[in-house]
Amino acid sequence: MKIAILGTRGIPNYYGGFEQFAEFFSVYLVQQGHEVYVYNSHNHKYQEAEFNGVHIIHQYDPEYAIGTFGQFIYDLNCILDSRKRKFDLILQLGYTSSSVWFFLMPKKSIIVTNMDGIEWKRSKYARPVQQFLKFAERLAAVTSDYLVSDSLGIKSFLQIRYGKESSYIAYGAHPFYEANPSILQEYEVTENGYNMIMARFEPENNLDMVLEGVALNDADKTPILVVGNHNTKYGSYLKNKFAAYPHIRFMGGIYNLAHLNSLRYYSNLYFHGHSVGGTNPSLLEAMASQALIAAHNNDFNRSILKENAYYFSNAAEVKNILQKVKKSDNLAKVSNNLKAIEEEFNWDKINGSYLHLFEQCMAQGKK
């Protein structure tokens, strides 16, 4: 097959989950004998024409100059370029800034769209933006030939809202076995002597709820490392709100994966507050890092973690978990989550599932 992947900033990954998937999957496809093209932003750090056998197509991306609207121009440029290349199949990762150009998609190429999360529910967006995202979601759902959901919750949502079937294929992670205790000194923590939360600083990720629980548990001065870029308006709000609690440590972003994996591995509790979207990559990475997870109580998180986590819906429940739960008493939950990564959410299985779907799509043709 001649396959294109669009909807990311490009490979190799320097940004996020879709880019990481595009990197792993495109190389896998080449190894399976397919001809693969990935669209990259013109100013991506990697400027070569090929990456591990994957063809790279750089397209002008004005996001750096004009902000978010630049994503629409970038996607338009990618789609216009795709019209002249006679791809058998195009994998579209997300729809936010691309589905409005559906009428320009190549007529003969099969279009497969990963529907991402329910983006319009994110509270960071103003109401007009939320209304546009609903519109973009509908366009992607009804104009794509085939849909992919990365969680069972999204699959159910698409069936109920649009009457559209989708293939459930989760995200992946690499199991992590070799933690390095020496890195803990750099962060001034000790084995199982601290907790963690890692997320983008957005309200729907419930950092505020978790830190409220930490504050309520005021007799306990166990450090909690808050990992993520806090140089935002919401980050300033949280830092001011919890300034009186020095054991709440705002660490900023940590991008050294070896450090991050070891920090998760040696934490007592790892809080996952995400409440919107599909299978969140950072949740799978926490499972793969053998963290004991306390997660926000919602269908997305429960469908992945099942009974192998503790759940919270408010700050009081966070406080209760902090007071009563120790990782050393819950090694079976940790082991079960690692096993789930090894058997269900490993990249080989995820890549194979996508390729199998593509083969089915080619056999069935456009819809």
Side-chain angles (χ1 to χ4, degrees):
M1 288 180 280
K2 185 177 181 181
I3 299 167
I5 299 176
L6 60 82
T8 81
R9 287 167 169 81
I11 65 170
N13 174 35
Y14 291 103
Y15 186 76
F18 270 154
E19 287 75 12
Q20 188 70 80
F21 165 66
E23 178 182 332
F24 290 155
F25 183 48
S26 61
V27 172
Y28 168 84
L29 286 172
V30 168
Q31 292 169 347
Q32 302 305 309
H34 300 284
E35 184 180 351
V36 185
Y37 297 75
V38 173
Y39 283 92
N40 276 31
S41 171
H42 79 282
N43 55 11
H44 191 279
K45 289 182 181 180
Y46 189 81
Q47 287 292 309
E48 304 300 320
E50 193 174 286
F51 174 78
N52 291 346
V54 179
H55 301 283
I56 305 297
I57 306 173
H58 289 90
Q59 290 293 310
Y60 179 66
D61 176 4
E63 183 181 8
Y64 74 98
I66 62 175
T68 301
F69 184 71
Q71 296 177 18
F72 290 85
I73 305 302
Y74 171 55
D75 282 342
L76 172 62
N77 290 337
C78 295
I79 290 168
L80 290 176
D81 181 85
S82 74
R83 291 168 61 88
K84 62 189 180 186
R85 294 188 183 266
K86 298 181 180 179
F87 293 120
D88 295 314
L89 185 147
I90 295 174
L91 174 61
Q92 185 174 233
L93 297 176
Y95 58 81
T96 301
S97 51
S98 60
S99 66
V100 293
W101 310 117
F102 75 92
F103 57 93
L104 294 172
M105 281 288 194
K107 301 303 181 189
K108 293 184 179 180
S109 300
I110 292 172
I111 309 301
V112 180
T113 303
N114 181 311
M115 292 297 289
D116 201 5
I118 307 173
E119 295 299 300
W120 53 267
K121 284 193 174 183
R122 297 189 187 278
S123 56
K124 68 177 179 179
Y125 295 125
R127 185 165 180 79
V129 177
Q130 290 177 328
Q131 292 301 314
F132 168 77
L133 290 173
K134 277 188 180 181
F135 171 67
E137 178 186 84
R138 174 174 288 278
L139 282 179
V142 302
T143 63
S144 301
D145 296 308
Y146 301 90
L147 304 178
V148 176
S149 304
D150 71 3
S151 82
L152 294 174
I154 299 295
K155 179 179 174 67
S156 175
F157 169 81
L158 293 172
Q159 175 62 51
I160 293 169
R161 191 172 187 89
Y162 302 111
K164 294 283 289 189
E165 288 297 329
S166 60
S167 298
Y168 165 58
I169 308 176
Y171 196 74
H174 290 301
F176 177 73
Y177 305 108
E178 298 181 8
N180 179 5
S182 66
I183 70 103
L184 299 180
Q185 299 173 13
E186 186 173 330
Y187 299 92
E188 299 180 351
V189 291
T190 59
E191 292 183 30
N192 298 318
Y194 62 98
N195 302 310
M196 275 184 77
I197 183 168
M198 186 177 82
R200 289 180 180 162
F201 276 61
E202 297 169 356
E204 64 265 20
N205 290 339
N206 290 299
L207 289 145
D208 199 357
M209 182 187 296
V210 171
L211 298 181
E212 279 275 10
V214 174
L216 288 174
N217 191 35
D218 55 358
D220 182 0
K221 303 304 180 185
T222 300
I224 181 165
L225 308 184
V226 187
V227 180
N229 176 21
H230 50 71
N231 296 317
T232 63
K233 182 177 179 181
Y234 188 61
S236 297
Y237 160 75
L238 291 178
K239 286 185 287 186
N240 289 331
K241 180 174 180 178
F242 297 106
Y245 302 90
H247 57 296
I248 298 178
R249 303 182 190 174
F250 291 90
M251 309 299 292
I254 297 175
Y255 301 106
N256 183 317
L257 190 57
H259 282 210
L260 203 52
N261 284 335
S262 289
L263 284 170
R264 287 185 285 225
Y265 180 90
Y266 287 116
S267 64
N268 178 53
L269 281 163
Y270 178 94
F271 286 91
H272 181 76
H274 295 62
S275 60
V276 176
T279 306
N280 185 268
S282 67
L283 175 58
L284 297 183
E285 288 163 3
M287 295 165 67
S289 299
Q290 302 184 58
L292 176 62
I293 298 168
H296 183 267
N297 191 1
N298 60 67
D299 289 342
F300 298 115
N301 293 335
R302 279 192 174 275
S303 68
I304 301 298
L305 293 162
K306 301 181 173 63
E307 301 305 314
N308 298 306
Y310 289 87
Y311 294 95
F312 61 88
S313 299
N314 54 56
E317 291 176 355
V318 171
K319 175 186 175 182
N320 188 54
I321 291 170
L322 287 166
Q323 289 180 333
K324 296 181 178 180
V325 177
K326 290 184 178 181
K327 183 176 183 178
S328 57
D329 298 330
N330 290 275
L331 297 182
K333 292 183 187 295
V334 173
S335 177
N336 288 342
N337 282 332
L338 179 62
K339 186 176 180 181
I341 297 296
E342 292 170 336
E343 296 182 355
E344 186 176 354
F345 299 110
N346 69 81
W347 279 116
D348 285 343
K349 180 175 180 180
I350 302 305
N351 288 338
S353 295
Y354 266 95
L355 179 53
H356 180 64
L357 171 64
F358 286 6
E359 290 167 346
Q360 290 181 317
C361 294
M362 292 296 293
Q364 295 172 21
K366 288 185 69 68
K367 289 189 175 181

